[in-house]
Amino acid sequence: SDLAEIVLRAPGIEVHVSPYGATVTKILVPDRDGVVDDVALGYDDLASYQRGDDRPYFGAIVGRVANRVANARFALPGKGEEGDGDGTREFALEANNGPNCLHGGVEGFDRRVWRVVNVADDGRSVTLAHDSPDGENGFPGLLKCEVTYAVRGDDENANDATDAAAKKSSLLRTSMTAVAVGSATPVCLAQHSYFNLRGAASGHDVLAHEIRV
Protein backbone atom coordinates (compact mmCIF):
# COMPACT_ATOMS: atom_id res chain seq x y z
CA SER A 1 0.00 0.00 0.00
CA ASP A 2 1.21 3.53 -0.75
CA LEU A 3 -0.08 4.56 2.68
CA ALA A 4 3.24 3.31 4.16
CA GLU A 5 1.38 1.93 7.16
CA ILE A 6 2.87 0.97 10.51
CA VAL A 7 1.05 -2.06 11.89
CA LEU A 8 0.58 -2.39 15.66
CA ARG A 9 -0.34 -5.80 17.01
CA ALA A 10 -1.34 -7.29 20.35
CA PRO A 11 -3.53 -10.28 21.15
CA GLY A 12 -7.08 -9.37 20.16
CA ILE A 13 -6.26 -6.20 18.20
CA GLU A 14 -4.39 -4.98 15.10
CA VAL A 15 -4.16 -1.29 14.17
CA HIS A 16 -2.81 0.21 10.94
CA VAL A 17 -1.40 3.78 11.06
CA SER A 18 -0.28 5.89 8.10
CA PRO A 19 2.13 8.83 8.47
CA TYR A 20 -0.16 10.74 6.09
CA GLY A 21 -2.25 12.73 8.55
CA ALA A 22 -1.11 10.38 11.36
CA THR A 23 -4.15 8.45 10.21
CA VAL A 24 -5.60 5.28 11.71
CA THR A 25 -6.63 3.40 8.58
CA LYS A 26 -7.76 0.08 10.10
CA ILE A 27 -8.68 -1.38 13.48
CA LEU A 28 -9.10 -5.14 13.35
CA VAL A 29 -10.77 -6.71 16.38
CA PRO A 30 -12.95 -9.79 17.02
CA ASP A 31 -16.65 -9.50 17.75
CA ARG A 32 -18.30 -11.45 20.56
CA ASP A 33 -18.31 -14.57 18.34
CA GLY A 34 -14.60 -14.25 17.62
CA VAL A 35 -15.02 -13.06 14.02
CA VAL A 36 -12.31 -10.50 13.18
CA ASP A 37 -13.23 -7.44 11.13
CA ASP A 38 -12.08 -3.88 10.49
CA VAL A 39 -14.27 -1.53 12.56
CA ALA A 40 -12.67 1.77 11.46
CA LEU A 41 -13.85 3.55 8.33
CA GLY A 42 -11.15 4.55 5.86
CA TYR A 43 -9.67 4.17 2.41
CA ASP A 44 -7.25 1.64 0.90
CA ASP A 45 -5.00 4.09 -0.99
CA LEU A 46 -3.35 7.46 -0.52
CA ALA A 47 -5.12 9.14 -3.46
CA SER A 48 -8.50 8.67 -1.79
CA TYR A 49 -7.32 10.50 1.34
CA GLN A 50 -5.95 13.31 -0.83
CA ARG A 51 -9.18 13.95 -2.73
CA GLY A 52 -10.54 17.46 -2.41
CA ASP A 53 -14.17 16.73 -3.27
CA ASP A 54 -14.79 14.15 -0.54
CA ARG A 55 -13.05 14.87 2.76
CA PRO A 56 -14.53 13.14 5.81
CA TYR A 57 -11.14 13.25 7.64
CA PHE A 58 -11.31 9.48 8.20
CA GLY A 59 -8.99 8.48 11.07
CA ALA A 60 -6.72 11.52 10.88
CA ILE A 61 -5.35 13.96 13.44
CA VAL A 62 -7.04 17.28 12.71
CA GLY A 63 -5.77 20.70 13.75
CA ARG A 64 -4.47 23.17 14.66
CA VAL A 65 -8.05 23.71 15.73
CA ALA A 66 -10.57 20.89 15.36
CA ASN A 67 -14.09 21.95 14.41
CA ARG A 68 -14.79 25.47 13.18
CA VAL A 69 -13.24 28.85 13.85
CA ALA A 70 -16.12 31.25 13.18
CA ASN A 71 -15.59 33.57 10.24
CA ALA A 72 -12.02 32.23 9.92
CA ARG A 73 -10.72 34.88 12.34
CA PHE A 74 -9.58 35.04 15.95
CA ALA A 75 -7.82 37.53 18.21
CA LEU A 76 -4.97 37.29 20.70
CA PRO A 77 -3.56 39.91 23.07
CA GLY A 78 -1.17 42.19 21.19
CA LYS A 79 0.54 45.53 21.56
CA GLY A 80 2.11 48.21 19.39
CA GLU A 81 2.13 47.70 15.65
CA GLU A 82 0.80 44.15 15.99
CA GLY A 83 -2.24 45.14 18.00
CA ASP A 84 -5.24 47.36 17.55
CA GLY A 85 -6.57 50.02 19.90
CA ASP A 86 -8.00 47.58 22.45
CA GLY A 87 -4.73 45.67 22.85
CA THR A 88 -5.60 42.68 20.67
CA ARG A 89 -4.19 41.32 17.44
CA GLU A 90 -6.49 39.70 14.90
CA PHE A 91 -5.48 36.78 12.70
CA ALA A 92 -7.13 35.79 9.42
CA LEU A 93 -7.28 32.08 8.56
CA GLU A 94 -8.21 30.12 5.45
CA ALA A 95 -11.98 29.75 5.04
CA ASN A 96 -12.79 26.23 3.86
CA ASN A 97 -16.27 25.69 5.30
CA GLY A 98 -18.38 28.57 4.10
CA PRO A 99 -17.03 31.60 5.97
CA ASN A 100 -15.42 29.40 8.65
CA CYS A 101 -12.08 27.64 9.06
CA LEU A 102 -12.71 23.91 9.56
CA HIS A 103 -10.12 21.53 11.08
CA GLY A 104 -7.19 23.89 10.51
CA GLY A 105 -7.87 25.00 6.94
CA VAL A 106 -7.46 23.70 3.42
CA GLU A 107 -4.14 22.00 4.22
CA GLY A 108 -4.67 21.00 7.83
CA PHE A 109 -2.76 18.42 9.84
CA ASP A 110 -4.72 15.64 8.10
CA ARG A 111 -2.90 16.58 4.85
CA ARG A 112 0.61 16.60 6.35
CA VAL A 113 3.07 13.70 6.30
CA TRP A 114 3.99 13.19 9.94
CA ARG A 115 7.45 11.99 10.98
CA VAL A 116 7.68 8.56 12.54
CA VAL A 117 9.59 9.28 15.74
CA ASN A 118 9.53 5.86 17.35
CA VAL A 119 8.10 2.39 16.89
CA ALA A 120 8.23 0.28 20.04
CA ASP A 121 10.38 -2.84 19.90
CA ASP A 122 7.36 -4.98 20.79
CA GLY A 123 5.35 -3.48 17.92
CA ARG A 124 2.64 -2.19 20.22
CA SER A 125 3.06 1.57 19.87
CA VAL A 126 4.13 4.26 17.43
CA THR A 127 4.83 7.96 17.95
CA LEU A 128 4.51 10.46 15.10
CA ALA A 129 5.32 14.18 15.05
CA HIS A 130 4.51 17.26 13.01
CA ASP A 131 6.07 20.70 13.42
CA SER A 132 3.58 23.28 12.21
CA PRO A 133 5.56 26.40 11.23
CA ASP A 134 4.75 29.96 12.18
CA GLY A 135 2.08 31.28 9.83
CA GLU A 136 0.86 27.89 8.59
CA ASN A 137 -2.72 28.42 7.38
CA GLY A 138 -2.64 31.79 9.18
CA PHE A 139 -1.90 30.51 12.70
CA PRO A 140 0.88 32.25 14.65
CA GLY A 141 3.94 30.61 16.16
CA LEU A 142 5.65 27.26 15.75
CA LEU A 143 3.58 24.37 17.11
CA LYS A 144 5.33 21.08 17.88
CA CYS A 145 2.83 18.20 17.89
CA GLU A 146 3.13 14.52 18.74
CA VAL A 147 0.65 11.65 18.75
CA THR A 148 1.22 8.19 20.17
CA TYR A 149 -0.98 5.24 19.29
CA ALA A 150 -0.58 2.23 21.60
CA VAL A 151 -2.40 -1.09 21.70
CA ARG A 152 -2.96 -3.32 24.70
CA GLY A 153 -3.80 -6.96 24.18
CA ASP A 154 -6.51 -8.99 25.82
CA ASP A 155 -3.69 -10.92 27.46
CA GLU A 156 -2.94 -7.97 29.75
CA ASN A 157 -4.85 -6.93 32.84
CA ALA A 158 -5.94 -3.29 32.95
CA ASN A 159 -5.42 -2.15 36.52
CA ASP A 160 -7.46 1.00 35.90
CA ALA A 161 -10.55 -0.92 34.76
CA THR A 162 -13.39 -1.54 37.22
CA ASP A 163 -15.41 -3.97 35.11
CA ALA A 164 -14.27 -7.61 34.96
CA ALA A 165 -14.77 -7.81 31.18
CA ALA A 166 -12.93 -4.54 30.63
CA LYS A 167 -9.95 -5.83 32.57
CA LYS A 168 -9.33 -8.43 29.86
CA SER A 169 -10.28 -6.33 26.81
CA SER A 170 -7.89 -5.19 24.12
CA LEU A 171 -7.75 -1.46 23.45
CA LEU A 172 -6.22 1.34 21.40
CA ARG A 173 -5.00 4.34 23.35
CA THR A 174 -4.33 7.71 21.68
CA SER A 175 -2.17 10.36 23.39
CA MET A 176 -1.60 13.81 21.87
CA THR A 177 0.63 16.71 22.90
CA ALA A 178 1.19 20.17 21.42
CA VAL A 179 3.78 22.75 22.49
CA ALA A 180 3.67 26.34 21.21
CA VAL A 181 7.04 28.00 20.56
CA GLY A 182 7.52 31.74 20.11
CA SER A 183 3.88 32.82 20.26
CA ALA A 184 0.57 32.04 21.86
CA THR A 185 -1.71 30.15 19.49
CA PRO A 186 -5.07 28.37 19.70
CA VAL A 187 -4.78 24.56 19.77
CA CYS A 188 -7.48 21.90 19.77
CA LEU A 189 -6.31 18.60 18.29
CA ALA A 190 -8.70 15.72 17.64
CA GLN A 191 -8.42 12.14 16.45
CA HIS A 192 -11.12 11.87 13.79
CA SER A 193 -11.92 8.15 13.43
CA TYR A 194 -15.34 6.87 12.44
CA PHE A 195 -16.46 3.43 13.59
CA ASN A 196 -18.83 0.68 12.50
CA LEU A 197 -18.75 -2.15 15.03
CA ARG A 198 -20.43 -4.49 12.55
CA GLY A 199 -17.41 -4.05 10.29
CA ALA A 200 -16.56 -1.26 7.90
CA ALA A 201 -17.42 -3.40 4.87
CA SER A 202 -20.39 -5.22 6.41
CA GLY A 203 -23.04 -3.30 4.50
CA HIS A 204 -24.80 -2.46 7.79
CA ASP A 205 -25.13 1.06 9.17
CA VAL A 206 -24.64 2.09 12.82
CA LEU A 207 -28.26 2.83 13.68
CA ALA A 208 -28.74 -0.41 15.64
CA HIS A 209 -25.51 -0.03 17.63
CA GLU A 210 -25.63 -0.04 21.43
CA ILE A 211 -22.59 1.24 23.29
CA ARG A 212 -21.61 1.82 26.89
CA VAL A 213 -19.72 5.01 27.74
Side-chain angles (χ1 to χ4, degrees):
S1 168
D2 59 358
L3 290 168
E5 295 166 319
I6 300 99
V7 180
L8 309 178
R9 292 186 178 93
I13 188 169
E14 179 177 306
V15 176
H16 294 221
V17 178
S18 173
Y20 186 76
T23 299
V24 173
T25 59
K26 295 180 182 178
I27 303 175
L28 294 123
V29 290
D31 63 14
R32 61 188 173 188
D33 298 318
V35 178
V36 175
D37 209 339
D38 177 17
V39 298
L41 304 192
Y43 299 117
D44 294 323
D45 60 89
L46 180 60
S48 296
Y49 285 96
Q50 293 175 323
R51 286 171 56 185
D53 59 332
D54 180 20
R55 192 176 178 185
Y57 302 89
F58 282 148
I61 299 296
V62 297
R64 285 188 190 191
V65 176
N67 212 327
R68 292 158 182 83
V69 177
N71 299 313
R73 306 186 76 85
F74 69 93
L76 291 175
K79 296 180 180 180
E81 294 181 358
E82 295 184 347
D84 61 21
D86 64 359
T88 61
R89 181 184 179 189
E90 190 169 86
F91 294 85
L93 307 175
E94 297 176 332
N96 62 330
N97 179 251
N100 308 309
C101 177
L102 175 65
H103 294 334
V106 176
E107 296 292 322
F109 290 179
D110 64 300
R111 295 292 176 102
R112 304 303 183 192
V113 178
W114 291 52
R115 303 188 315 277
V116 178
V117 176
N118 182 65
V119 179
D121 290 341
D122 62 3
R124 295 193 179 198
S125 71
V126 60
T127 298
L128 304 101
H130 171 59
D131 293 342
S132 175
D134 180 24
E136 184 174 51
N137 297 337
F139 290 96
L142 169 66
L143 187 69
K144 301 174 74 68
C145 304
E146 283 194 354
V147 57
T148 297
Y149 295 112
V151 294
R152 189 195 73 209
D154 57 15
D155 60 336
E156 302 175 67
N157 278 308
N159 295 326
D160 57 348
T162 57
D163 180 84
K167 284 182 178 293
K168 297 295 283 187
S169 297
S170 55
L171 63 78
L172 167 63
R173 189 184 305 275
T174 304
S175 304
M176 295 177 285
T177 63
V179 177
V181 179
S183 175
T185 189
V187 180
C188 179
L189 305 181
Q191 208 289 326
H192 209 276
S193 285
Y194 296 71
F195 302 94
N196 186 335
L197 302 183
R198 291 287 294 272
S202 67
H204 296 278
D205 62 30
V206 301
L207 299 181
H209 280 37
E210 295 182 6
I211 63 172
R212 180 176 60 189
V213 178

